[in-house]
Structures are given as C-alpha cells and as structure tokens.
C-alpha cells in the first residue's frame, strides 16, 4: 500500500505543494503560490486513492455565461455537458456536477489504484485531472467571451435595424416641400 508520504514526494516533484496539516489519507494539493486547493488526493479504500478537483460555478455566472439564446437546456445541464466533453480527453477522468445552494459544483475525478502503483502512473493521473481542470477553465473563459460577443452583435444589429427603419420611413414618407427663399 502506497503511503501518503510517498504521494507527497511525488506531488512535490510536479512543483505542487501539499497543504500543511494534511493527513496520510487526505492531501490537499496547491500550486506554489495559491491558497485554494487545486485538487485533493484522498484514500477511497485500502486499494484506491481518488484524485479530485472541484470547481464552484456561481449562480451569477450560470445566469450570465451559461444561459444563451441558442441553448435548449438549463444552464446547469450545459455546464455538465461541457465538463463531460472536457473529461473525454483525459484518461480515467470522470466528471460530475451537483447543485450547491444555487451554485453548481463541477467535479473532475480519477482513481489511482495501489496495486503496482508507480510514480509515473500516479503523476500521469494527477496531471490528467489538472489538465481537465485547466481545460474546463478555458471553456469557462471561452463561453464568457462568446456571450459578450453575442451581446455586442445583438446591440449592433438592433441599432442597424433602427437606422434602416428610419431610412425607410424617410424614403417612403411624404415628399418634402422645398423651402421658398
């Protein structure tokens, strides 16, 4: 059975750090200059560790960035589909979402099996979860940019429509009488 101390050294080899106070079965992992955990490595059972990243999508972000006119599903379902698509690209990584008081928790998870566990296998699994989390952040940024561009397009289109209606009214309205000098 691989110890938490061994996993700690493997994690630190990735230029990550384990938060102070971590136990042998629950390691909160952070980048060198961050306070929030990037992921948690937790003993699931005597033969398996879980590598987990959770990310909160607030209710305000759900309503501003994930409710687009072209979406036929609720925002939470659209986020869940995006998380699944991100996870498809990472071996062993699963995604899931759950409601958290109006916010949505997005979770990426991969198992690490103790049987014959090597540093390479562990680091690849941790890296897969981290890459899924990073890819999801890019999806979040892209979605926000996409909706900003859509709103700008709508505003510009509406202004053009008004300008065209004004021009049509001018051209089809009664003729103007020339002013006499």
């Amino acid at each position: 059975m691989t110890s938490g101390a061994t996993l700690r050294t493997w994690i630190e080899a990735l230029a990550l750090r384990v938060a102070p106070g971590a136990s042998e079965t629950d390691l909160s992992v952070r980048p060198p200059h961050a306070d929030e955990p990037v992921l948690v490595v937790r003993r699931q059972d005597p033969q398996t560790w879980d590598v987990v990243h959770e990310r909160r999508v607030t209710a305000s972000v759900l309503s501003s960035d994930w409710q687009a006119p072209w979406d036929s599903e609720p925002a939470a379902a659209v986020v869940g589909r995006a998380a699944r698509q991100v996870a498809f690209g990472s071996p062993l990584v699963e995604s899931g979402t759950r409601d958290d008081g109006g916010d949505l928790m997005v979770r990426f998870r991969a198992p690490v099996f103790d049987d014959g566990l090597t540093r390479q296998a562990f680091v690849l699994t941790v890296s897969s979860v981290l890459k899924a989390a990073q890819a999801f952040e890019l999806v979040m940024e892209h979605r926000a940019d996409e909706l900003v561009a859509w709103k700008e397009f709508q505003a510009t289109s509406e202004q053009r429509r008004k300008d065209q209606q004004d021009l049509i009214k001018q051209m089809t309205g009664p003729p103007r009488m020339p002013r006499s000098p």
Side-chain angles (χ1 to χ4, degrees), residues 122-169:
F122 177 76
V123 168
L124 283 172
T125 303
V126 168
S127 180
S128 290
V129 174
L130 287 174
K131 294 295 183 192
Q134 291 167 343
F136 187 71
E137 289 303 315
L138 292 173
V139 168
M140 296 283 293
E141 290 172 19
H142 178 73
R143 179 65 179 219
D145 292 345
E146 192 176 58
L147 283 174
V148 165
W150 172 254
K151 289 174 184 174
E152 288 172 0
F153 171 76
Q154 274 187 312
T156 302
S157 296
E158 182 60 23
Q159 185 59 48
R160 284 187 186 150
R161 186 187 66 74
K162 287 179 182 177
D163 291 346
Q164 287 175 350
Q165 283 180 338
D166 290 345
L167 182 59
I168 290 168
K169 283 180 186 176

Side-chain angles (χ1 to χ4, degrees), residues 7 13 16 24 45 49 52 114 127 140 170 176:
L7 297 184
L16 299 169
E24 277 292 304
D45 59 45
W49 293 87
V52 179
D114 248 343
S127 180
M140 296 283 293
Q170 288 175 4
R176 291 186 185 172

Side-chain angles (χ1 to χ4, degrees), residues 27-108:
L27 308 168
S28 291
V29 180
R30 301 176 177 158
H33 305 290
D35 293 330
E36 293 295 318
V38 171
L39 54 86
V40 174
V41 178
R42 182 175 294 131
R43 176 66 74 183
Q44 178 184 339
D45 59 45
Q47 293 82 31
T48 313
W49 293 87
D50 271 339
V51 179
V52 179
H53 168 80
E54 287 191 319
R55 198 244 198 249
R56 179 181 303 279
V57 179
T58 63
S60 64
V61 169
L62 282 172
S63 66
S64 67
D65 295 350
W66 292 91
Q67 289 183 334
W70 55 85
D71 292 327
S72 60
E73 302 172 299
V78 176
V79 171
R81 186 176 64 245
R84 283 189 306 280
Q85 289 171 341
V86 164
F88 287 150
S90 300
L92 298 177
V93 176
E94 303 167 351
S95 69
T97 58
R98 66 178 165 78
D99 181 64
D100 191 31
D103 294 346
L104 189 67
M105 290 302 291
V106 177
R107 182 179 203 208
F108 295 100

